[in-house]
Amino acid sequence: MSKVLVTCGTGYIGSHTVVELQQEGHEVIVVDNLFNSDIEVLNGIEKITGIRPTFENIDCTDYVGMDRMFERHKNIDAIIHFAAYKAVGESVEKPLLYYRNNILSLVNLLQLMPVHKIKHLVFSSSCTVYGQPDILPVTENSPFKPALSPYGNTKQICEEIIRDTIHSNSFYHSIVLRYFNPIGAHPSAEIGELPNGVPNNLLPFITQTAIGIRKQLLVYGNDYNTPDGTCIRDYIDVVDLAKAHVSALNRMLNHQQKNNLEVFNLGTGRGLSVLEIIKMFEKVNNVKVPYKIVGRREGDIEKVWADPSYANKELGWKAQRPLEETLRSAWEWEKKLAERSKQTA
Ligand code: UD1
């Protein structure tokens, strides 16, 4: 059993990863500033696993606070670093907020790791680093394209910071995971995505429209060079994604890395259009999602999907949950949220 620090462990992907880590017998410490998440998530985690993770309310940009936290929790084996702002549009309006938060958090961790003798870092990156790729599917060797938003730029810069740090000091070991589009919720419906305010991402907007919180979904553009004209993405189940973190962690801790820095694409290998997702969601959940086609959203990429074969082979990991089940879980979670808000009203 190892001791793992999870930054933003009450966030969407973080909380699902905490569950998988605990279920595999790892001890978890969650660090979060609760800026974009809810402390209640810890109850959800505890309901699923029977274990409440140790919680520290700290901002990763606070170097002294993080240093003290590492003093309180000795012998941490690895860090899984999720903490970052992720709203593409907001990052265009408030670039410094994004650069400060996303980059400083990582730099603090990298500086503190040798001080506290922590060698291993799993970093949460994104397919956004590829921009609009020339060749699909995207492999880990596909080139970075100029970032279309400050958010995307922070992910590219963070990957470069990790690369340079490892190059300078062989103490560090890292696995960078490039996520495609995470969706869905835990099958227990105890945890899921909790968007703050109006959702930016497709799935929470679909579920909120289906339940009546939003009048209609706006589909951003149907004039793309794709079969139905809407954008294509690789939607990956959040529990499958969470499990990949456990595989990455075990690979590092069991000294199976081929290099001190490894990068993996985490996707299904299947691209689906916005309209296909809406139709499938309506069918599997037997609900209507009113939608309207509007103009393109600035910064959107036409199509992107992963070649996950390297992760399949090296991590021994594969996306497994059928998309229908994932879409059902997203709907179950939305209904659970509605029930909860009725109870508290
Ligand atoms: C973006 C980022 C990704 C990041 C993710 C997390 C880019 C290129 N991608 O993904 O790196 O991890 O956000 O926030 O920077 N859509 C609608 N109507 C809506 C919402 C979305 O039609 O109301 C469409 C979008 O145009 C897109 C698809 O749905 O084609 C998926 O959008 P979204 O869920 O926002 O994710 P990405 O933009 O792909």
Side-chain angles (χ1 to χ4, degrees), residues 53-126:
T54 304
F55 177 74
E56 291 274 6
N57 186 339
I58 306 170
D59 190 317
C60 295
T61 62
D62 172 3
Y63 183 91
V64 175
M66 289 297 284
D67 191 26
R68 289 189 185 136
M69 183 279 302
F70 283 120
E71 287 295 335
R72 285 194 293 279
H73 301 282
K74 302 271 190 213
N75 304 322
I76 288 174
D77 297 292
I79 300 171
I80 305 185
H81 182 43
F82 291 105
Y85 294 153
K86 61 162 195 174
V88 177
E90 185 187 54
S91 79
V92 177
E93 284 157 32
K94 301 175 183 166
L96 295 181
L97 194 72
Y98 275 67
Y99 286 117
R100 185 183 157 73
N101 186 57
N102 295 6
I103 293 171
L104 190 53
S105 296
L106 175 68
V107 171
N108 280 349
L109 286 176
L110 289 169
Q111 286 189 315
L112 286 164
M113 283 169 68
V115 178
H116 297 279
K117 302 187 174 54
I118 305 166
K119 286 185 186 170
H120 305 106
L121 175 74
V122 177
F123 179 71
S124 166
S125 188
S126 162

Side-chain angles (χ1 to χ4, degrees), residues 54-331:
T54 304
F55 177 74
E56 291 274 6
N57 186 339
I58 306 170
D59 190 317
C60 295
T61 62
D62 172 3
Y63 183 91
V64 175
M66 289 297 284
D67 191 26
R68 289 189 185 136
M69 183 279 302
F70 283 120
E71 287 295 335
R72 285 194 293 279
H73 301 282
K74 302 271 190 213
N75 304 322
I76 288 174
D77 297 292
I79 300 171
I80 305 185
H81 182 43
F82 291 105
Y85 294 153
K86 61 162 195 174
V88 177
E90 185 187 54
S91 79
V92 177
E93 284 157 32
K94 301 175 183 166
L96 295 181
L97 194 72
Y98 275 67
Y99 286 117
R100 185 183 157 73
N101 186 57
N102 295 6
I103 293 171
L104 190 53
S105 296
L106 175 68
V107 171
N108 280 349
L109 286 176
L110 289 169
Q111 286 189 315
L112 286 164
M113 283 169 68
V115 178
H116 297 279
K117 302 187 174 54
I118 305 166
K119 286 185 186 170
H120 305 106
L121 175 74
V122 177
F123 179 71
S124 166
S125 188
S126 162
C127 70
T128 194
V129 299
Y130 299 117
Q132 176 58 67
D134 297 325
I135 300 168
L136 288 164
V138 181
T139 73
E140 289 78 359
N141 296 322
S142 300
F144 279 16
K145 287 287 185 66
L148 291 175
S149 68
Y151 158 75
N153 208 13
T154 65
K155 288 294 174 193
Q156 291 189 347
I157 294 169
C158 284
E159 285 202 23
E160 282 162 8
I161 291 172
I162 293 172
R163 195 195 56 213
D164 291 346
T165 307
I166 289 178
H167 183 73
S168 76
N169 186 346
S170 61
F171 167 83
Y172 293 97
H173 292 69
S174 182
I175 291 185
V176 168
L177 300 176
R178 294 182 182 148
Y179 315 147
F180 284 66
N181 286 58
I183 58 166
H186 195 268
S188 64
E190 294 293 350
I191 54 172
E193 193 166 2
L194 272 177
N196 206 351
V198 182
N200 292 300
N201 297 114
L202 182 63
L203 245 289
F205 212 107
I206 288 181
T207 56
Q208 289 195 4
T209 307
I211 212 147
I213 299 174
R214 314 272 159 214
K215 208 170 113 250
Q216 62 183 357
L217 167 75
L218 303 180
V219 173
Y220 299 127
N222 68 347
D223 57 351
Y224 286 98
N225 182 24
T226 60
D228 66 21
T230 63
C231 294
I232 295 179
R233 297 286 183 275
D234 184 337
Y235 294 92
I236 166 96
D237 181 87
V238 70
V239 177
D240 279 335
L241 190 66
K243 287 181 198 268
H245 293 74
V246 182
S247 305
L249 180 79
N250 291 339
R251 180 178 175 89
M252 285 198 301
L253 297 179
N254 295 329
H255 311 290
Q256 290 165 332
Q257 283 187 275
K258 289 191 169 155
N259 297 298
N260 284 17
L261 173 61
E262 293 184 307
V263 178
F264 296 101
N265 280 344
L266 298 181
T268 65
R270 176 185 183 196
L272 283 159
S273 75
V274 177
L275 290 182
E276 282 175 315
I277 287 285
I278 297 171
K279 281 179 195 141
M280 200 181 281
F281 182 89
E282 290 186 322
K283 189 167 163 225
V284 300
N285 293 311
N286 199 20
V287 281
K288 272 273 157 229
V289 180
Y291 71 87
K292 182 169 98 176
I293 309 277
V294 295
R296 292 182 178 197
R297 180 172 72 174
E298 201 188 331
D300 265 342
I301 283 157
E302 184 168 271
K303 48 191 167 200
V304 62
W305 62 92
D307 175 348
S309 53
Y310 189 58
N312 298 162
K313 180 166 160 267
E314 292 296 325
L315 293 179
W317 166 90
K318 202 170 191 299
Q320 283 184 331
R321 207 171 175 199
L323 183 60
E324 289 79 0
E325 219 176 277
T326 303
L327 294 175
R328 266 196 289 271
S329 73
W331 182 228

Side-chain angles (χ1 to χ4, degrees), residues 23-57:
Q23 287 180 335
E24 290 285 316
H26 297 288
E27 181 186 344
V28 179
I29 298 158
V30 168
V31 165
D32 208 311
N33 63 0
L34 300 176
F35 177 80
N36 206 4
S37 59
D38 198 318
I39 191 78
E40 288 278 308
V41 172
L42 295 178
N43 297 338
I45 293 173
E46 192 177 358
K47 274 193 191 151
I48 299 169
T49 65
I51 307 162
R52 195 172 184 84
T54 304
F55 177 74
E56 291 274 6
N57 186 339

